[in-house]
Amino acid sequence: MVQWLTFTAGVLTALFALAAYGIRGLGWLLPARNNAPLVLTALGGFAVTWFTVIAISAELGGVVNLEPGGWIAAIASLLPVLGAFALPQERPDADGTKEALKAYIAKPDRIPAPQATSGWVQRAVITAVTIIGLGVFTYGIDTEYGELFVGYLFVVTFAMWAIHTAGLLDRFSALVAANRSFTLAMGFAAAIAFPFTQTDDHYANIGVNILIFGTVALGLNIVVGLAGLLDLGYVAFLGVGAYTAALVSGSEFSTISGVHLPFWASALAGAAASLVFGVLIGAPTLRLRGDYLAIVTLGFGEIFRIAVNNMDGDSGPDVTNGPNGISNIPDLNLLGFNFGQAHDLGGFTLGRFANYYLLMVLIMAIVVLVYTRAADSRIGRSWIAIREDETAATAMGINGFRVKLVAFALGAALAGLAGTVSAHVTYSVVPTPYQFAGSTPPNSAFLLAAVVLGGMGTVAGPLLGAALLYLLPEKLVFLQDKSLLAFGIALILLMRFRPEGIIANRRRQLEFHETGQLDVPKQTTLTDEPAVTKAGA
Amino acid sequence: MTTPVLEARGVTMRFGGLTAVRSVDFTVNAGEIVGLIGPNGAGKTTFFNCLTGLYVPTEGTVSYKGTVLPPKPHLVTQAGIARTFQNIRLFANMTVLENVLVGRHTRTKEGLWSALLRGPGFKKAERASEERAMELLEFIGLAHKRDHLARNLPYGEQRKLEIARAMASEPGLLLLDEPTAGMNPQETRATEELVFAIRDKGIAVLLIEHDMRFVFNLSDRVAVLVQGEKLVEGTSDVVQADERVIAAYLGEPFEGDPGEAEAAEVEAAEAAASADAPSTTSSTKGEAK
């Protein structure tokens, strides 16, 4: 498996090297005509090889036990790096070692404009990128042990960095912007295709959990990313949805036994219950601003968990069975399609989790639709206005409290919807996962981290953030109790070097990096002509 | 004759023991430009905040076209009073067009459901809002910058954009809090033209300003606020001639002051320096504050 990683890094390095030499037909790989991508891919190959060699040595108990092949690989991987650094530098005027090193991996400000391409070519490119993306993502999920996943992260990070400095990422964003709905369709096609690439249902389980986590993160993105309301107890709404679904879906442990609603009804009930809780919690707390709101929502999130823990018939009314939770939630059965059984579909076997995965893709599609449509409307603008300056927004006639309550309730309802599915996927609901912070997602801290890490105010950002944050603790079991520490360090590094998140919203990108923007107008203050406008009567 | 657009009756604002505004009666008639001046800390902005519902007045009422306004900012804007702020409060990370569209909030109704369902009504309303916003951007001359972020505009254009955003709510009365603060003379003159153009659209204007020439050029009436109380109100000439206004800005003359002759000398020098000013004495004194 590791061979594939080093092989990929090597192929990328070779491609960038050939493109830098000006081999015909590869020019498109390097729109910026720089050497930085070559340096970065070489570094990526070097990093993954050395990491592997070190990990194997550690496993075998010393460098002496390493096979000769390992030595050869380690030294061989060093060569492209040295070669890449020997290439002429882009900014020879850089002074100091630090500046010189920066210049090696810098992305040039000026990138030649792309040639016009026809619509078919653009769509073909997007399709190809989607397929490659699906392949890369699938590989990441299917990694069998933690060290391999770390190596995978090395290669992906350096490759993405290289593609970014080569200017390919900018080109691709322009393509996406021009074919927005096509990209969205391709994205969902890739999401649907994922379970068909899997032979082991365990990986579909990871997939469905990522989707649940991502959907909830997207709901939180409405509250945090658009309306700017810092909610630290958001996971409670997922819990409300899950518990509602568990109660009405015919579990023998449900305290309202005998009720067995069809899925659409229990999903609606879960979303509605979350919505009601959102309004109940939001109505008194949304009068607060900033940090105060964060503290109060944190409190309400914990109240939910503790209340659910205590409603066991001893210390409170018997609703949730306390810490035992509600188990034996039956599998869904939609129109005769039993989600609990494996189905054969055109030669592919879809296991239990794959079935739920496909259902979650549908729910995520709904959430994405709600998010994009709400963001681009009168109400979405008023959310952003409230986030930017609440006083000015109310002076413009926006009823701040009401608009914030709508955001809060909508976010809660979407989380509740995701919760109804998660109750079925996990067979049982218990109070423990619905806490503020823990070492495994979803919890409120991880949800917020997924939104901030991925990129606030975007659709793809929280989904990517959720995928990363789910996979890291899942794959890095060898870190054990130090995983939270590693997670914290990773967050700090990311916030230091890319505060707008992995996928940047245009607005936030401009907010944090003012340089190099075409948007910034020339500052002309004093002109000879009086700046009388058309208004001059 | 003219009907009052804005009528404030006995507005008093106390913060604990401090009385910032003391029973001020004030009217603005339709089609008028009224100036509100006073030394720093006189309570002008506090009075503005009472008018627009940002503060709830301790005593007194504010009514717009005969109906008493509730002390809630968004309802005041809904009723037809829009304002700008002393220190610019644009939505910095929204585009120029989006800023003006937010101003349209009270004049549109599309809620969450219509945004999610995207019916024909929603598209029509969005288009109409955008057209109206573009008209306003044409009016202030920022139409070519519609997709720029507000934070990237130069200072003078940010001021203009704030006015356009306020006008998007289709107000009957526009409150401008120091619209020319920090502007150079050319920009001030352009703002003067802009305020006249707004008045010609049938919108009454009430403005706070420290640039005396600007105020006296523009205003049909000027009110002077000193230590929270309204001292004088009247046309430019009346206010400029008023001894108490001069005293409020410059302080009372004291016994054995420099003497008439020296004062006259200074004034003559000032008059020579700014010969184009219509009424030299008090306006220069005002600026010298």
Side-chain angles (χ1 to χ4, degrees):
Chain A
M1 292 295 262
V2 184
Q3 302 89 308
W4 279 105
L5 290 175
T6 35
F7 178 69
T8 313
V11 166
L12 277 175
T13 318
L15 277 177
F16 278 124
L18 291 178
Y21 267 116
I23 305 287
R24 293 185 99 194
L26 284 174
W28 59 271
L29 260 175
L30 270 180
R33 305 262 165 270
N34 55 346
N35 291 328
L38 185 55
V39 176
L40 286 167
T41 43
L43 275 176
F46 170 72
V48 70
T49 312
W50 278 62
F51 174 77
T52 315
V53 167
I54 291 169
I56 292 174
S57 319
E59 191 89 346
L60 298 177
V63 189
V64 280
N65 297 326
L66 206 59
E67 282 181 40
W71 290 101
I72 294 171
I75 293 163
S77 69
L78 200 58
L79 292 178
V81 180
L82 295 174
F85 273 108
L87 284 171
Q89 206 180 331
E90 260 122 61
R91 275 172 42 212
D93 55 323
D95 48 328
T97 333
K98 198 178 153 201
E99 286 297 309
L101 280 178
K102 259 191 195 167
Y104 268 115
I105 52 169
K107 181 185 160 208
D109 292 336
R110 215 172 289 277
I111 293 171
Q115 292 166 347
T117 44
S118 71
W120 283 109
V121 176
Q122 295 186 351
R123 285 178 191 186
V125 169
I126 292 175
T127 314
V129 170
T130 317
I131 292 169
I132 295 172
L134 179 64
V136 170
F137 190 71
T138 312
Y139 184 94
I141 287 190
D142 291 0
T143 48
E144 274 149 12
Y145 47 98
E147 287 85 350
L148 184 62
F149 185 72
V150 173
Y152 164 81
L153 280 186
F154 272 129
V155 172
V156 169
T157 311
F158 277 104
M160 285 313 289
W161 197 356
I163 287 169
H164 170 71
T165 51
L168 283 173
L169 218 53
D170 291 356
R171 288 271 166 94
F172 185 65
S173 333
L175 278 188
V176 168
N179 302 284
R180 195 162 284 282
S181 42
F182 180 76
T183 315
L184 204 63
M186 283 313 294
F188 276 111
I192 291 170
F194 170 72
F196 294 98
T197 64
Q198 301 299 317
T199 45
D200 188 346
D201 211 28
H202 169 63
Y203 297 126
N205 182 17
I206 296 180
V208 71
N209 281 320
I210 288 177
L211 276 189
I212 291 171
F213 186 29
T215 308
V216 183
L218 204 54
L220 180 63
N221 199 16
I222 294 180
V223 181
V224 176
L226 291 181
L229 307 165
L230 188 52
D231 186 347
L232 296 181
Y234 192 69
V235 81
F237 298 125
L238 179 72
V240 171
Y243 265 97
T244 313
L247 285 173
V248 298
S249 289
S251 159
E252 54 195 284
F253 294 97
S254 163
T255 45
I256 39 175
S257 54
V259 181
H260 192 167
L261 297 180
F263 174 66
W264 63 266
S266 69
L268 279 184
S274 281
L275 186 123
V276 169
F277 268 84
V279 172
L280 282 181
I281 293 173
T285 56
L286 287 176
R287 293 169 201 281
L288 302 170
R289 289 187 188 187
D291 305 348
Y292 302 103
L293 179 70
I295 293 166
V296 172
T297 50
L298 173 65
F300 269 107
E302 288 298 289
I303 287 172
F304 168 78
R305 184 173 58 87
I306 294 164
V308 162
N309 227 337
N310 284 300
M311 287 200 275
D312 56 356
D314 277 341
S315 25
D318 189 13
V319 184
T320 61
N321 294 335
N324 294 328
I326 301 166
S327 48
N328 276 9
I329 301 168
D331 273 311
L332 285 176
N333 198 330
L334 275 185
L335 306 169
F337 184 89
N338 190 336
F339 278 70
Q341 290 164 355
H343 292 265
D344 281 325
L345 211 80
F348 295 100
T349 310
L350 290 180
R352 176 176 182 271
F353 289 116
N355 296 333
Y356 281 111
Y357 175 89
L358 291 176
L359 178 68
M360 252 341 272
V361 169
L362 180 72
I363 291 197
M364 195 183 74
I366 295 171
V367 174
V368 167
L369 194 75
V370 167
Y371 179 87
T372 48
R373 291 198 158 181
D376 176 31
S377 71
R378 172 175 176 265
I379 190 112
R381 282 193 298 270
S382 54
W383 287 335
I384 299 172
I386 291 271
R387 186 192 70 196
E388 292 285 313
D389 187 334
E390 191 163 347
T391 308
T394 51
M396 286 304 113
I398 293 170
N399 185 345
F401 175 66
R402 199 171 133 193
V403 168
K404 285 195 282 184
L405 195 60
V406 169
F408 211 71
L410 180 65
L414 295 180
L417 189 62
T420 56
V421 180
S422 88
H424 288 281
V425 173
T426 54
Y427 293 115
S428 64
V429 284
V430 285
T432 35
Y434 307 110
Q435 54 192 347
F436 170 66
S439 54
T440 49
N443 54 60
S444 295
F446 264 64
L447 280 169
L448 193 66
V451 173
V452 175
L453 189 94
M456 271 200 253
T458 59
V459 174
L463 298 180
L464 181 68
L468 263 181
L469 287 185
Y470 188 85
L471 285 177
L472 283 177
E474 174 88 21
K475 297 288 182 188
L476 302 185
V477 267
F478 68 91
L479 279 177
Q480 292 158 358
D481 51 344
K482 288 171 202 73
S483 67
L484 270 183
L485 177 72
F487 172 56
I489 291 172
L491 262 190
I492 291 172
L493 287 179
L494 194 87
M495 286 300 106
R496 168 63 185 80
F497 294 106
R498 202 170 163 82
E500 69 272 37
I502 298 172
I503 295 178
N505 182 324
R506 188 176 53 93
R507 272 187 234 289
R508 293 187 64 80
Q509 178 114 51
L510 291 172
E511 197 175 327
F512 286 110
H513 306 279
E514 270 185 84
T515 48
Q517 291 303 323
L518 301 169
D519 233 46
V520 183
K522 260 198 318 218
Q523 292 283 338
T524 47
T525 39
L526 271 171
T527 46
D528 290 335
E529 275 178 83
V532 180
T533 61
K534 285 186 181 176
Chain B
M1 29 172 250
T2 44
T3 49
V5 182
L6 176 84
E7 205 168 11
R9 292 244 160 276
V11 171
T12 301
M13 186 72 215
R14 282 193 206 96
F15 298 103
L18 178 86
T19 309
V21 177
R22 200 186 304 270
S23 60
V24 173
D25 293 324
F26 192 75
T27 53
V28 178
N29 296 320
E32 248 187 340
I33 299 177
V34 181
L36 185 64
I37 61 171
N40 284 337
K44 302 183 297 293
T45 299
T46 308
F47 182 60
F48 251 43
N49 287 346
C50 289
L51 294 184
T52 51
L54 281 178
Y55 292 159
V56 183
T58 322
E59 283 163 32
T61 56
V62 181
S63 44
Y64 174 77
K65 290 187 176 164
T67 45
V68 175
L69 289 173
K72 282 264 182 345
H74 65 272
L75 295 177
V76 170
T77 313
Q78 173 103 49
I81 299 181
R83 71 169 293 174
T84 66
F85 291 88
Q86 185 173 352
N87 28 16
I88 301 174
R89 299 189 83 147
L90 286 170
F91 306 122
N93 294 309
M94 295 176 91
T95 65
V96 167
L97 179 67
E98 283 172 331
N99 265 280
V100 183
L101 283 176
V102 170
R104 298 278 310 152
H105 189 89
T106 53
R107 302 294 170 241
T108 43
K109 275 201 269 302
E110 284 64 46
L112 183 61
W113 284 115
S114 76
L116 295 184
L117 299 174
R118 299 266 148 138
F122 175 83
K123 284 179 187 140
K124 210 172 128 195
E126 283 284 290
R127 232 185 348 260
S129 275
E130 199 179 313
E131 267 168 33
R132 179 86 186 97
M134 283 312 291
E135 270 171 39
L136 279 167
L137 287 180
E138 296 273 348
F139 175 70
I140 58 158
L142 282 180
H144 60 291
K145 289 197 169 173
R146 54 176 279 175
D147 291 326
H148 287 240
L149 287 196
R151 70 208 311 268
N152 290 335
L153 292 184
Y155 184 81
E157 290 182 354
Q158 291 197 3
R159 285 261 176 224
K160 275 189 202 162
L161 178 57
E162 219 191 2
I163 293 175
R165 185 182 68 176
M167 284 175 68
S169 65
E170 293 169 14
L173 171 68
L174 187 60
L175 307 186
L176 303 178
D177 199 343
E178 300 201 19
T180 69
M183 281 188 175
N184 63 36
Q186 277 99 351
E187 286 171 328
T188 306
R189 214 176 311 145
T191 310
E192 212 170 286
E193 303 287 336
L194 183 61
V195 173
F196 276 128
I198 291 169
R199 199 260 307 269
D200 292 343
K201 282 177 169 268
I203 301 171
V205 179
L206 170 61
L207 48 95
I208 293 179
E209 196 40 81
H210 278 306
D211 187 331
M212 291 304 152
R213 193 183 300 165
F214 178 78
V215 173
F216 290 124
N217 273 353
L218 271 177
S219 309
D220 300 314
R221 269 184 311 128
V222 176
V224 185
L225 214 58
V226 175
Q227 288 180 356
E229 283 177 280
K230 194 169 80 177
L231 203 63
V232 207
E233 187 180 343
T235 59
S236 303
D237 297 332
V238 174
V239 172
Q240 286 178 59
D242 197 295
E243 296 270 314
R244 289 170 300 171
V245 176
I246 299 166
Y249 270 98
L250 292 181
E252 300 284 343
F254 55 93
E255 288 298 317
D257 63 333
E260 296 285 72
E262 281 166 73
E265 208 172 287
V266 171
E267 274 183 16
E270 280 178 351
S274 52
D276 55 335
S279 50
T280 332
T281 5
S282 47
S283 72
T284 43
K285 271 184 186 167
E287 277 171 1
K289 163 194 73 84

